[in-house]
Structure formats: structure tokens, C-alpha cells
């Protein structure tokens, strides 16, 4: 996102505790070569990065610690349809 989140969803983001996540990275430039390298090393079947030093898995606890997201409370499961395909997504 290049600008602030739409005012149409701002209240939803605040209610769910995701507002700060929507504002992460503002003012930072992403390195396309780094992103490309990570994408090439990602294995979607095992949900791991295959690095020269071994496999690296990103866990829900990692995401919680780095982004400050709450992972307790109710679980939301929804059907997701995208250009990649269809699946069920679980949000904690």
C-alpha cells in the first residue's frame, strides 16, 4: 500500500487489532532483489524457506512477536479466492 488504508476499512482494522499492521513499512523502500531471492527459496508445499544454511520456517509465534499481533481469542475461517487459486484461510 502506498497510501493510508481506505477510510472504509479503517474501523474494521482498528476493531480487530490490525491497524498497526496496515501501517507497517510506511516510508521504507523494499529491496526487489531481496524479495525476489526469498520468493525463489520459498517452498509452498512445506511452508519453509530453503536457505544455504538449511530450512527456515516462519511460525505463527514469529509473526506474533514481530508484528505484535494478538493470537488469542476467536478463530475466523473464511473461503478465499484469488488469482493463484482457492483455499480456506484461518485467521486467529
Amino acid at each position: 500500500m502506498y497510501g493510508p488504508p481506505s477510510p472504509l476499512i479503517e474501523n474494521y482494522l482498528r476493531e480487530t487489532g490490525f491497524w498497526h499492521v496496515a501501517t507497517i513499512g510506511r516510508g521504507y523502500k523494499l529491496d526487489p532483489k531481496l524479495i525476489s531471492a526469498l520468493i525463489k527459496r520459498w517452498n509452498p508445499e512445506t511452508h519453509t524457506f530453503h536457505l544455504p544454511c538449511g530450512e527456515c520456517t516462519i511460525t505463527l509465534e514469529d509473526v506474533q512477536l514481530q508484528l505484535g499481533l494478538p493470537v488469542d481469542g476467536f478463530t475466523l475461517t473464511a473461503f478465499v479466492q484469488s488469482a493463484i487459486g482457492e483455499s480456506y484461510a484461518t485467521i486467529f
Side-chain angles (χ1 to χ4, degrees):
M1 292 171 63
Y2 293 101
S6 167
L8 298 172
I9 64 168
E10 181 177 341
N11 288 335
Y12 296 113
L13 292 171
R14 288 186 186 278
E15 287 176 22
T16 57
F18 281 88
W19 175 252
H20 69 284
V21 175
T23 61
I24 290 174
R26 302 258 181 232
Y28 292 97
K29 183 178 176 185
L30 296 176
D31 182 349
K33 291 181 182 178
L34 174 62
I35 301 299
S36 180
L38 288 172
I39 289 171
K40 288 178 183 176
R41 295 185 178 277
W42 178 251
N43 183 337
E45 294 175 7
T46 59
H47 301 284
T48 57
F49 289 101
H50 291 270
L51 305 173
C53 59
E55 289 187 3
C56 175
T57 301
I58 298 175
T59 66
L60 181 58
E61 183 180 18
D62 295 332
V63 174
Q64 174 199 14
L65 293 172
Q66 293 177 7
L67 300 181
L69 294 174
V71 291
D72 55 350
F74 296 106
T75 303
L76 172 68
T77 303
F79 182 74
V80 178
Q81 189 173 17
S82 71
I84 298 172
E86 300 174 345
S87 66
Y88 284 92
T90 302
I91 303 169
F92 296 91

